[in-house]
Amino acid sequence: MSEENITRIHLDGKEYILIGTAHVSKHSAEQVKEVIEAEQPDSVCVELDEQRYQSITEGSKWKEMDIIQVIKEKKASLLLMNLAISSFQNRMADQFGIKAGQEMIQGIESAKAAGAKLVLADRNIQITFARIWGNLGLKGKSLLLSQVVASIFSKDTITEEELEKMKNQDTINAILNEFTDSFPRLKKPLIDERDQYLAQKIKDAPGEKIVAVLGAAHVPGIKEEIKKEQDMAKLTERPPKSNVPKIIGWSIPVFILAIIAYTFFANPSAGLAQTISWIIWNGSLSALGAAIAMGHPLTILTAFVAAPITSLNPLLAAGWFAGLTQAYIRRPNVRDFETLSEDVFSVKGFWRNKVSRILLIVVLSNLGSSLGTFIGGADVIRVFFENL
């Protein structure tokens, strides 16, 4: 058996065999099978969390899940990342005939065949992205979102050089590679913390012989971190949210409401004009956004009704209500998500796909509501000064 890409660690009477895999290599999957069959370990650790494990082993279950259920279970952000990763992997498969993540699937199958305990050793992907999000300012968050969305709809081919580079990264790192170059501090939650988390999960795996199937980039860090005791509670803690955006978000509606209330007191007819202006500008522009996206008539009406109210509450968004209404009326399932990266390549496919239609409704309704807030707010202030 070749020892290439294999690291053996003996610690506290246990043997840890780390297989540094390439997520885009057929050879890695073959090596995983060979090592587990030869070693017959007590446990096999794979670089997956529960949600990614389910997406691999219960694909049909995800396909039948509808978007409303996804929203209720707070898995919308996970699906967005899965879509980005899926689109990325599909482009690799089309170009190179490589199925990314095959070595993890092989690890699961080989663990079962060997009667070994399967350990899902990676940190929950939503916690990882929450900690990444917490390290970003407004500019960074905008860039991250734009990069994720761009990766979904990208038609760019992957060069041989990029492919070779990806052989030392996991899929998440590969997706965000350029982003971490721009924001070096993200290396901590994306790589360093996951090295620590993976190391502790591998260390705590039952039995005396443990095989771990890992992206090659994590092996050097895990070799060092496995010697230490990690604070798992700290590593899985969601970062505290800043109060500044909340203060700003509430200050604007309070300011607008105070101006309208004062104007009503001083001149009721002018206050009524302010209120009508606020409703018309917010409602009409948000409804226009839903109409441009060819939303259902009830979706357009929902955008009109919701926008004047949600613009006064930073916790709500008109596009969310409009999108949810569209989802109830034209309910997509995750199969629509899976075909999205292909459907958006044609105008017909874009409009046919229920998910892309909802995404467009959410974006354009929110954009219309935001424009309505600025224009309506300016008109409210104009009427206020005219009636001082």
Side-chain angles (χ1 to χ4, degrees), residues 35 46 80 135 190 250 286 290 292 312 336 348:
V35 170
V46 291
L80 182 62
N135 272 288
L190 186 61
W250 282 109
S286 184
I292 291 172
L312 296 172
D336 289 297
K348 181 181 179 182

Side-chain angles (χ1 to χ4, degrees), residues 78-88 148 151-153 336-341 355 359:
L78 175 65
L79 276 179
L80 182 62
M81 284 309 305
N82 280 348
L83 182 58
I85 292 169
S86 174
S87 176
F88 186 76
V148 169
S151 69
I152 294 171
F153 301 113
D336 289 297
F337 275 90
E338 293 182 340
T339 60
L340 181 57
S341 58
V355 176
L359 291 174

